[in-house]
Amino acid sequence: MRNIIGFPVTIMAMICILEAEGAPLLRLPLPFLRGGSATNAAVVKTKTLTAKKQKKQRKPGPHPIQILGANAKRGLGGLGNKIQQDTSNLGKNIGREWGKLTSNTQKFVANIPKPPLLPRRRKSLKSCKKLDEVCHTFASVLRGNEVDTAQLLKACKAHLAFMKTGGSSLRLVAKDLEANVQKAERVYKKSPKEGKSLSSLLACEKSRGIHNGDELHEKSAAMGLLWIRRSLKFQLDLYSSIISAEQHPREAAYGAYDKHLSPFHGWALRKVFPASLSQMPGRDVFIAKFAGISEEELNDEYDREIARKLKALVSAWDPLISCWEEEFERLGLEDTRRV
């Protein structure tokens, strides 16, 4: 009995000593004391179970980075909605203002007075180089009261090329003209200085005594120039009728032949020439050939242009032929024999 009582006393004494020395104490449950081991153990166990239960029930909070990402997403979403709304409003405003601008522009344009209609631009015509060359060369043949021989022969050659575009009806006339041009040119080339002018050429040739009065030598320049002049007079009347369009070219050719060539033709030529002239085409065909185009291309502009150029040619021929005739009459070289 004494031992049982002495043990607890001993334990208590030891605890007191340890506390006095400041050593940490391990408080042991004393089951024999009130509120000892059994009670404290139950309380500790209960608190432990409660803490575990609360720990299980408490979920872990989101990570700070997750919170930052969520906030950024929410902020960007709001910004995107704002931008979309502003863009939509801007589009509506632009559409409204554009509509106003379009309406005002249409009203402004409608109120502008319309300018008068400009004439349709003239289509450029094909150039008739051969006819242009004839007009150009003949325009410079007559210089004052003198006929330039070299320029006259040059103009006649250009006219030959132009005549050949008129078709078969002028072929015989062109052939006769070509033969006489060659005849006059052969004589001129022998003494170009003496024959510089038509007058000097005829006078020089006459002075050599090759003619028999007014009967010209067959191979003389005077004979060639005489028939060149008669051919040009025939064509002057023909072209004048084409310009005026008063009669068919065939009838005009017959009349010009009777007046300028027939009085100097013998029986044979009076049969051959009219037969050739009978093939003379209509005025439109002539105009188209002189213009270097087809009949389908012929229009009023071409007609007027060719007629204008032919008129210029006729105007150049008229004073030239008059001067030509005067020289022949002055020198007594007007040979009227038939051939």
Side-chain angles (χ1 to χ4, degrees):
M1 183 65 179
R2 190 173 48 191
N3 290 336
I4 293 172
I5 296 171
F7 178 74
V9 174
T10 302
I11 292 303
M12 289 299 294
M14 290 176 66
I15 290 171
C16 289
I17 293 170
L18 290 173
E19 284 182 352
E21 292 178 355
L25 300 177
L26 179 60
R27 297 188 180 274
L28 300 175
L30 300 177
F32 51 84
L33 296 178
R34 186 177 179 180
S37 173
T39 303
N40 288 339
V43 172
V44 172
K45 183 178 182 179
T46 301
K47 290 181 178 181
T48 301
L49 292 175
T50 302
K52 290 181 178 181
K53 186 176 182 181
Q54 289 177 351
K55 186 176 181 180
K56 290 182 179 180
Q57 291 177 350
R58 188 169 58 245
K59 296 181 179 179
H63 195 276
I65 294 178
Q66 293 177 338
I67 295 173
L68 179 61
N71 292 337
K73 183 177 180 181
R74 186 164 53 253
L76 290 175
L79 180 61
N81 293 335
K82 186 70 168 72
I83 292 174
Q84 186 175 6
Q85 183 178 1
D86 292 345
T87 303
S88 177
N89 293 335
L90 179 62
K92 291 178 181 179
N93 292 335
I94 291 175
R96 183 168 55 253
E97 294 301 321
W98 181 258
K100 291 180 182 180
L101 178 61
T102 303
S103 177
N104 293 334
T105 303
Q106 290 175 348
K107 291 179 181 179
F108 174 75
V109 173
N111 292 329
I112 296 176
K114 294 183 179 180
L117 294 176
L118 296 176
R120 183 177 295 178
R121 186 177 181 181
R122 180 181 177 183
K123 184 180 179 181
S124 59
L125 303 179
K126 292 181 180 179
S127 175
C128 182
K129 294 182 179 180
K130 292 182 179 180
L131 180 53
D132 291 340
E133 180 66 14
V134 174
C135 294
H136 175 71
T137 52
F138 268 110
S140 56
V141 170
L142 187 61
R143 299 179 179 180
N145 294 324
E146 291 288 336
V147 177
D148 187 311
T149 306
Q151 186 66 17
L152 174 61
L153 295 174
K154 180 181 178 181
C156 289
K157 288 180 179 180
H159 185 54
L160 276 170
F162 170 67
M163 284 181 66
K164 291 176 182 179
T165 65
S168 59
S169 60
L170 292 176
R171 186 177 295 124
L172 186 57
V173 179
K175 185 177 181 180
D176 182 67
L177 177 64
E178 185 174 20
N180 287 298
V181 169
Q182 291 173 353
K183 187 181 294 186
E185 189 174 35
R186 278 194 297 268
V187 177
Y188 167 74
K189 286 183 176 180
K190 291 179 181 179
S191 54
K193 291 183 178 180
E194 294 178 356
K196 184 176 181 180
S197 67
L198 178 65
S199 177
S200 63
L201 177 63
L202 295 175
C204 181
E205 193 175 52
K206 183 180 179 179
S207 67
R208 290 201 296 266
I210 63 173
H211 305 309
N212 183 18
D214 61 358
E215 294 182 3
L216 305 180
H217 190 279
E218 181 62 29
K219 295 183 179 181
S220 66
M223 182 63 81
L225 290 167
L226 176 65
W227 282 102
I228 291 173
R229 190 195 75 201
R230 289 170 178 172
S231 178
L232 292 182
K233 289 186 73 175
F234 162 80
Q235 291 174 72
L236 187 150
D237 284 2
L238 174 62
Y239 294 163
S240 295
S241 72
I242 292 176
I243 294 169
S244 63
E246 293 179 355
Q247 61 182 151
H248 193 283
R250 182 172 54 251
E251 301 303 321
Y254 285 153
Y257 174 77
D258 290 341
K259 183 178 179 180
H260 300 295
L261 296 177
S262 181
F264 311 106
H265 280 177
W267 179 86
L269 289 178
R270 288 202 303 271
K271 296 296 182 181
V272 173
F273 261 81
S276 174
L277 298 177
S278 66
Q279 303 175 31
M280 195 74 64
R283 181 180 182 277
D284 289 349
V285 176
F286 257 123
I287 295 294
K289 286 182 179 295
F290 288 164
I293 60 174
S294 64
E295 291 184 63
E296 290 75 17
E297 294 178 281
L298 183 62
N299 53 32
D300 292 341
E301 287 185 284
Y302 274 115
D303 191 295
R304 287 193 295 269
E305 185 67 11
I306 297 302
R308 182 186 66 79
K309 292 180 178 181
L310 288 177
K311 189 175 181 179
L313 179 59
V314 167
S315 298
W317 277 350
D318 196 28
L320 171 63
I321 291 174
S322 296
C323 181
W324 205 329
E325 286 179 330
E326 291 175 1
E327 287 298 322
F328 268 78
E329 290 175 359
R330 183 179 67 82
L331 294 171
L333 300 176
E334 194 69 30
D335 192 340
T336 59
R337 292 176 299 165
R338 291 181 180 271
V339 294

